[in-house]
Amino acid sequence: MLVLSLDSSSIASVALSRDGEVLERFDTTDTRSHAEALAPAVQELMARAGLTGADLDAVLVGTGPGPFTGLRAGLVTARTLGFAWDLPVHGLCSLDAVAHRVGPLALAAGHPEFAVAIDARRKELYWRRYRVAEEGGVVVLPAGDPQVSAPEQLPDVPCYGSGTALYPDRVPRPAVEGTDVAPSAADLARAAWSVTSRGGELSTDTSPLYLRESDAKVPGAPKRATS
Amino acid sequence: MNTADPLVMGIESSCDETGVGIVRGTELLTNTVSSSMAEHVRFGGVIPEIASRAHLEAFVPTVRTALADAGVRMAEIDAIAVTSGPGLAGALMVGVAAAKALAVATGKPLYAINHLVAHVGVGLLGDGGELPPHLGALLVSGGHTEILAVQDITSDVRLLGSTIDDAAGEAYDKVARLLGLSYPGGPAIDRAAAEGDPEAFSFPRGLTAGKYMGSAENPGPHRYDMSFSGLKTAVARVVETFHAARRPIPVADVAASFQESVVDVISRKTVLACTEHGITTLLMGGGVAANSRLREVVTQRCARHGITVVVPPLSLCTDNGAMVAALGSRLVAQGVAPTGIAFTADPGLPVTTVAMPAAV
Ligand SMILES: [Zn+2]
């Protein structure tokens, strides 16, 4: 199973993986150049691996949550590649990528439940709760839907992910390690493999997890002058 | 690649239309548009975030429809062109990211194209694809209001004048709201104005005072520029006066007088710019080009100065992918190097940049 993965919920990242093993990866250092970085990164990774679209089995994309503009760049890139290469496109919550990465840390620290948070801008965090267990390997499962809220509103469980490091004094229980991990395509690929390798199925729903309305306001009646 | 009659796909997402057009040389094969206009109605204007969300959902389906409609396969396309500015940043970004993905997946060359120049590119479609010499363009829409001089559509386009605040279409939308008319404001006001007296109210003509205009030899700072925000404020004041007096607003008269001011300024400035720059053919573009009073007055005033006015069919005036494809096709035919995939969309792209150069 050869998969091209993209995530743009935080940084922009691309990964090529075979059966969950990452062959090539690309990650930006900033969170504001998704539309510039993604396509060239895909081209470079494919060339480096000596692959064409015909070699791939699927495209995988992080569906957020994340800042809207960047998130859309990843989604439209993934959907368009899937269309042009005639490949299935799977969507996975971007926070699951972080959860998969920090799961072993949580387990080792004796935390069967934890949360993952990333920056939602406007002094808020996107977050999701997870459960982790040892079942012939570390298994991380979502324990609720992704949310957006002020840091104080997070559940009282150890909190991982790059959002934690942003508000160490406001998140109820920041974890000790793994508070700087952002979603990446490489971790997303591994998280997806942990689902499919256990017989699970990935969703073909690539709808963005905006979690917030578009901020548009219906204008009221024309303003009356007060003078 | 076939450079004589290249098969080019054009992608447009600078405002609220997701457009995909396909041309073969100068022949239009499809002009497929998915508009989010209906979603903006309750807001009385284009909401950028709603437009961007709609572009994401519409993109792949619109490409599929366009290919089916044109009867071509993606693999047959010779080149891809995409609007890279000017326009709404978040909206442009969706089309640009998608176009780059298409280019990467198919290995086709990608051209990053100026939206305003693409409006003029409509003139390249059909009839041997030649633009008339001494060409100018008047572009009026909800997003822009410009007068261009087009010496050579691939290499020499200049901005003669533009709005310094609201676009004309935006002023129509805002005034329509003040008058309780529907969105988009252009057609609504045009309809209401038909029953009204254009001289009932004397609304200001923005940037027409001598200090802005100067003379042909010694032009002022805004000789061909336009401004509609003062006009909108003046309409608001009139509406308020009627409210305060608890009298019904004479909607038709206000609409007609407002429209007369807009049309008067645009047509006067356009004719002035044309005569002073030797322009003998004027191409109208943008959604507001459909406005009956604007077409009428521009055509009349241009005729008096021997200027021929060309108005493409409405589907090619409003934002669309066909115009992007048409300009892209011309760039390919002229051997212009593609932009590649490393560029950044530019919401303020100047008209002098017809196609973005390849990044070095
Ligand atoms: Zn336009």
Side-chain angles (χ1 to χ4, degrees), chain A residues 167-194:
Chain A
Y167 303 104
D169 303 328
R170 296 177 57 192
V171 168
R173 273 175 74 186
V176 181
E177 293 172 88
T179 58
D180 58 348
V181 181
S184 71
D187 286 334
L188 193 74
R190 296 184 187 112
W193 179 250
S194 87

Side-chain angles (χ1 to χ4, degrees), chain A residues 2 4-5 18 21 30 35 42 77 104 111-112 116 121 145 150 166 169 191 201 207 213 215 221:
Chain A
L2 196 53
L4 176 74
S5 306
R18 179 176 277 120
E21 186 201 328
D30 68 292
V42 169
T77 301
H111 303 307
V116 164
R121 298 188 185 156
D145 291 330
L166 283 179
D169 303 328
E201 267 191 43
S207 304
E213 286 307 308
D215 269 354

